[in-house]
Amino acid sequence: MNILENAVSVGGPAALFPDDRNGIEHLDWSNIGQAFPIKQRRAYLNNASIGALSQPVVAAVNRFMEDVRDNGRNAYPEWCRYAEETIKARIGRLIGAHRDEIAYVKNTTEGLVNVANGFPWRDGDNLILPDIEYPSNVYCWMKLAARGVTIRWVKNRNGRILVDDIRRLMDDRTRLVSLSAVQFSNGFRQDLEATSNLCHERGVYLNLDAIQWAGSLELDVEKLGIHFLSVGGHKWMLAPIGTGFFYCRKSVLGLLDPPSVGYHSVDSTEDHMHYMLEYRPTAARFEEALANFTGIWGLDAAVRIQLALTPARIESHILTLTDYACEALLRKGYQIVSSRNPGEASGNLSFKHSGHDAQELSQRLRDAGVDLAVRGGNLRISPTYYNDSDEIDRLIEALPS
Ligand SMILES: Cc1ncc(COP(=O)(O)O)c(C=O)c1O
């Protein structure tokens, strides 16, 4: 028997790259829900913790795995080129960047650490940081104390981070402002334009933890003048855990000394014995070695879905759903904790009830098939483009008055 006759074939490397092998192109607003099996079982309103995966994302991950199963390393050059050119260009389109300004990372924290450890700090410098950041955007800066760099904490005002408060903390040794584009605990959406304008006015760099923004709200890093930005794939991007991207504005690429250097950081990636420490001319210099292609194939599918639905419509859908939830919650006697002011509202909506414990409510909802998170003693929902008003209704029905 010829063993090859029984070999599973997925069509060789070429099968990885045709346009619609993962069934994305027939998706639109009328049928997007069908791509998310979780909807058949639960009202999943917890995408700001870990987003549920769609079938096309899982198919893309499997497709990559099948290629390695059936073809080993044979498509390696094509993988690298596709990840570098096609996928990064699509990520770039999503956030208003050029593909050369994108590096793959395994999580948000890795991108933040690139800035913290790569920035040319001098003894006596300071950076500005809100006092309600997720710890990813805290410890990497605290560690800089050993290099004589201090943190100036911006005190939140009832969950808001005001640009004027950032301004007041700046002095001539302030080099960087680092903050969450959307706060994880209460959904406060930073005024990125005003924050960036201030930074540019004062010659200060702006670094964003954008994991709670990207995938839910429109973004144009070029127009906004952002210097650095990091996004993990596993929340609003609805991409696999262990994926993400780091944006480094082209004009400041040379400012950072890549903290993690390996054979992929340099140009001669296939010329193994020609040792020359000359960084690649793009943000790919921050990728020290072979990247998580399996996950990146899934990330790509997730990005393609967002581009098809368009970020503008995704944002508007999310804000409409959360507005709808606010009205229903208020009617039921709940208090809205998140700011819903225009320009401050996001997909993260926090609320509470003076007569009910948040943890107990969360468990009760879970038993009723509704998932959300508890953050800072409040309930937090984070619906996205595959969610609908029926799922908000299920939440409201399952909540006690
Ligand atoms: C604002 C914010 N930053 C960072 C993280 C962690 O991201 P990662 O695990 O991708 O580093 C989270 C959530 O877990 C978050 O809410």
Side-chain angles (χ1 to χ4, degrees), residues 209-238:
D209 171 341
I211 193 172
Q212 296 289 0
W213 181 301
S216 64
L217 304 174
E218 272 193 287
L219 188 58
D220 189 335
V221 287
E222 173 62 31
K223 201 163 124 206
L224 284 167
I226 310 298
H227 295 105
F228 314 108
L229 170 142
S230 299
V231 174
H234 62 279
K235 297 185 190 287
W236 297 91
M237 294 297 297
L238 310 183

Side-chain angles (χ1 to χ4, degrees), residues 36-80:
F36 286 83
I38 198 167
K39 280 176 77 75
Q40 290 157 27
R41 294 179 298 105
R42 310 192 63 79
Y44 191 74
L45 304 172
N46 198 16
N47 298 288
S49 294
I50 293 193
L53 297 182
S54 62
Q55 282 293 27
V57 167
V58 173
V61 166
N62 286 343
R63 185 156 293 283
F64 188 85
M65 302 264 275
E66 286 161 5
D67 187 61
V68 187
R69 180 192 64 194
D70 298 336
N71 301 296
R73 187 238 191 234
N74 286 330
Y76 178 80
E78 283 97 329
W79 301 337
C80 293

Side-chain angles (χ1 to χ4, degrees), residues 148-161:
V149 177
T150 50
I151 298 173
R152 296 188 161 194
W153 298 96
V154 196
K155 280 204 176 62
N156 76 90
R157 294 184 191 251
N158 202 15
R160 291 183 172 82
I161 305 301

Side-chain angles (χ1 to χ4, degrees), residues 33-349:
Q34 293 165 23
F36 286 83
I38 198 167
K39 280 176 77 75
Q40 290 157 27
R41 294 179 298 105
R42 310 192 63 79
Y44 191 74
L45 304 172
N46 198 16
N47 298 288
S49 294
I50 293 193
L53 297 182
S54 62
Q55 282 293 27
V57 167
V58 173
V61 166
N62 286 343
R63 185 156 293 283
F64 188 85
M65 302 264 275
E66 286 161 5
D67 187 61
V68 187
R69 180 192 64 194
D70 298 336
N71 301 296
R73 187 238 191 234
N74 286 330
Y76 178 80
E78 283 97 329
W79 301 337
C80 293
R81 206 173 320 116
Y82 197 72
E84 198 54 33
E85 296 175 5
T86 308
I87 302 181
K88 281 188 179 175
R90 278 201 272 263
I91 294 171
R93 210 168 338 129
L94 193 72
I95 65 164
H98 189 274
R99 68 176 190 221
D100 290 350
E101 296 173 307
I102 306 288
Y104 294 116
V105 288
K106 61 181 178 299
N107 48 41
T108 318
T109 305
E110 185 181 352
L112 297 168
V113 166
N114 278 340
V115 181
N117 290 352
F119 195 85
W121 300 107
R122 294 166 306 208
D123 192 2
D125 284 344
N126 68 68
L127 67 110
I128 294 177
L129 201 61
D131 66 351
I132 48 171
E133 287 295 303
Y134 192 84
S136 297
N137 190 31
V138 174
Y139 293 123
C140 59
W141 312 113
M142 290 179 96
K143 184 174 181 292
L144 295 174
R147 293 169 65 182
V149 177
T150 50
I151 298 173
R152 296 188 161 194
W153 298 96
V154 196
K155 280 204 176 62
N156 76 90
R157 294 184 191 251
N158 202 15
R160 291 183 172 82
I161 305 301
L162 303 189
V163 176
D164 277 342
D165 286 340
I166 298 175
R167 187 194 313 274
R168 271 189 279 277
L169 287 172
M170 285 179 168
D171 68 5
D172 58 359
R173 296 306 305 271
T174 304
R175 310 284 308 283
L176 187 98
V177 171
S178 186
L179 45 78
S180 291
V182 166
Q183 288 296 336
F184 81 102
S185 57
N186 61 11
F188 173 75
R189 169 184 184 153
Q190 188 72 26
D191 183 341
L192 294 184
E193 193 179 342
T195 309
S196 177
N197 286 345
L198 167 65
C199 287
H200 282 268
E201 228 171 78
R202 302 292 293 262
V204 168
Y205 296 96
L206 178 58
N207 178 47
L208 296 183
D209 171 341
I211 193 172
Q212 296 289 0
W213 181 301
S216 64
L217 304 174
E218 272 193 287
L219 188 58
D220 189 335
V221 287
E222 173 62 31
K223 201 163 124 206
L224 284 167
I226 310 298
H227 295 105
F228 314 108
L229 170 142
S230 299
V231 174
H234 62 279
K235 297 185 190 287
W236 297 91
M237 294 297 297
L238 310 183
I241 294 170
T243 63
F245 55 88
F246 169 58
Y247 162 80
C248 179
R249 195 176 190 80
K250 192 166 186 221
S251 58
V252 290
L253 185 65
L255 188 73
L256 300 185
D257 184 20
S260 184
V261 169
Y263 64 99
H264 266 216
S265 317
V266 300
D267 237 342
S268 49
T269 45
E270 287 281 30
D271 189 1
H272 297 307
M273 298 311 191
H274 182 64
Y275 306 138
M276 276 273 285
L277 185 55
E278 231 170 62
Y279 296 134
R280 292 164 80 176
T282 67
R285 63 177 58 184
F286 297 106
E287 298 159 10
E288 74 283 18
L290 203 52
N292 170 17
F293 284 140
T294 313
I296 288 168
W297 253 245
L299 173 66
D300 181 44
V303 170
R304 287 175 64 190
I305 293 172
Q306 289 172 47
L307 290 173
L309 297 177
T310 75
R313 279 197 67 185
I314 291 174
E315 171 169 338
S316 139
H317 179 82
I318 289 172
L319 292 178
T320 304
L321 269 187
T322 42
D323 280 347
Y324 178 76
C326 276
E327 284 168 24
L329 286 164
L330 286 170
R331 276 199 304 273
K332 197 134 190 183
Y334 284 77
Q335 187 188 330
I336 304 300
V337 175
S338 300
S339 168
R340 298 302 293 174
N341 294 342
E344 293 186 349
S346 72
N348 277 331
L349 176 67

